[in-house]
């Protein structure tokens, strides 16, 4: 049993008993972990709003036999706009949920931490239109999939390797496919192909400046299929967008 310092992003939070919470964290030093926060649900809690989802916090964690307990927390960054804007909140929830789904417990992964922190900062700066048709949101999910080793094949057919026209997206083949296996995928438009490619090539700051587009919305559906194929679970943050 020992104490550990960690800088972490709060991914999610759920009640535990009468007064406590369990927070899901992604930390720079320890990767993905869960920790108990004692007394956080009491009205005069000493924690204030410091352990709300999407915040970046410096923590001291006590490592118990089966679970961590947060013993101190200092807020490093709070994203005020995310809390006030429904679409920004949906985008941030999607980013945090994808991180929780893609990366295993205590797999130290500083690049993922930095990517998630940059994603939340860009989302906090604001983007135009709905979250599910935003090139920024597509870019966040695509870059997280890339870090997890699930980047789809976008420059040739994922099955036969030919450079022919991409006619469908196949989650099971892992990317765009040509006429050789069009039946195994979902038809894809050139706009969605373009949106997928730019979501890989362009930095998040540039994607944030692009307008919402039907191509980005379609691309996010395909990439969500890939996410579900790889993780075995859907992104709940998209349930209002798709109603399936
Ligand atoms: Zn092919």
């Amino acid at each position: 049993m020992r104490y550990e310092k960690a800088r972490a992003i709060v991914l999610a939070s759920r009640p535990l008993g009468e007064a406590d919470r369990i927070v899901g964290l992604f930390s720079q030093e320890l990767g993905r972990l869960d920790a108990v926060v004692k007394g956080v649900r009491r009205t005069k809690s000493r924690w204030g709003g410091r352990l709300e989802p999407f915040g970046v916090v410096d923590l001291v964690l006590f490592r118990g036999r089966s679970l961590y307990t947060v013993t101190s927390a200092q807020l490093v960054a709070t994203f005020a706009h995310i809390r006030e804007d429904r679409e920004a909140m949906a985008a941030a929830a999607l980013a945090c949920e994808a991180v929780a789904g893609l990366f295993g417990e205590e797999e130290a992964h500083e690049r993922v931490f930095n990517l998630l922190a940059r994603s939340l900062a860009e989302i906090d700066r604001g983007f135009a239109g709905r979250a599910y048709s935003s090139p920024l949101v597509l870019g966040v999910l695509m870059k997280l999939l890339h870090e997890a080793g699930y980047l789809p094949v976008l420059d040739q057919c994922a099955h036969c390797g030919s450079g022919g026209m991409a006619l469908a997206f196949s989650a099971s083949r892992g990317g765009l496919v040509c006429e050789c296996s069009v039946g195994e995928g979902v038809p894809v438009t050139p706009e969605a192909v373009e949106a997928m490619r730019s979501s890989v090539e362009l930095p998040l700051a540039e994607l944030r400046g692009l307008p919402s587009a039907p191509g980005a919305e379609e691309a996010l559906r395909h990439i969500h299929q890939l996410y579900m194929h790889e993780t075995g679970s859907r992104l709940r943050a998209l349930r209002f967008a798709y109603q399936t």
Side-chain angles (χ1 to χ4, degrees), residues 150-153 158 168-177 181-186 196 221-231:
Y150 301 135
L151 187 68
V153 178
F169 186 87
S170 165
S172 56
R173 291 287 181 202
L176 296 169
V177 290
S181 32
V182 69
E184 293 174 41
V186 179
M196 284 186 219
R221 283 177 188 268
H222 296 305
I223 298 307
H224 185 224
Q225 290 296 320
L226 180 70
Y227 176 92
M228 288 195 290
H229 180 79
E230 299 296 353
T231 65

Side-chain angles (χ1 to χ4, degrees), residues 43-102:
T43 35
K44 283 185 179 170
S45 162
R46 69 190 174 98
W47 300 105
R50 278 174 291 167
L51 288 158
E52 298 287 316
F54 321 133
V56 184
V57 277
D58 276 339
L59 301 173
V60 178
L61 298 163
F62 177 74
R63 185 180 210 146
R65 240 166 296 175
S66 59
L67 211 55
Y68 286 97
T69 304
V70 178
T71 61
S72 97
Q74 201 153 20
L75 203 52
V76 177
T78 168
F79 299 112
H81 175 72
I82 290 177
R83 291 169 202 292
E84 291 160 4
D85 182 278
R86 233 180 69 135
E87 295 304 319
M89 175 95 78
L94 182 144
C96 287
E97 192 184 342
V99 165
L102 287 168

Side-chain angles (χ1 to χ4, degrees), residues 6 14 51 75 102 145 160 177 192-193 206:
R14 61 179 195 270
L51 288 158
L75 203 52
L102 287 168
L145 283 164
C160 73
V177 290
V193 171
E206 239 171 281

